[in-house]
Amino acid sequence: MSINRKLKEAGNFTPSEMGLLGRVFDKAKREGDSDASREALASRIIANYMAGITDEAELLALSRQPLGR
């Protein structure tokens, strides 16, 4: 699973935004992650970006953190 499907579902992003989010996803995903885990990661990256986190390093750091419940 790549982040592209989630980006299409989430709305319109510019090519540069898609590039940024794709790079963050590629850096954050781990070998052996399940499809569900990668889908959750993609959703978290997009949600963080839409919440205003636009710095690549900060987005990567926040998106790697587990969701607290």
Side-chain angles (χ1 to χ4, degrees):
M1 191 256 157
S2 72
I3 196 168
N4 292 331
R5 190 181 90 223
K6 281 291 185 186
L7 288 172
K8 288 177 185 174
E9 290 174 4
N12 294 326
F13 291 97
T14 66
S16 63
E17 290 173 319
M18 291 177 72
L20 168 69
L21 297 170
R23 284 191 308 275
V24 171
F25 179 78
D26 287 339
K27 290 176 185 177
K29 69 183 178 181
R30 296 184 182 123
E31 196 66 36
D33 281 349
S34 67
D35 285 342
S37 178
R38 287 184 182 203
E39 188 170 340
L41 174 62
S43 294
R44 205 162 43 247
I45 291 168
I46 293 167
N48 285 333
Y49 182 80
M50 292 176 78
I53 309 301
T54 58
D55 177 75
E56 188 168 340
E58 186 177 6
L59 188 57
L60 178 61
L62 286 174
S63 298
R64 282 183 170 163
Q65 295 178 358
L67 295 175
R69 292 190 183 198

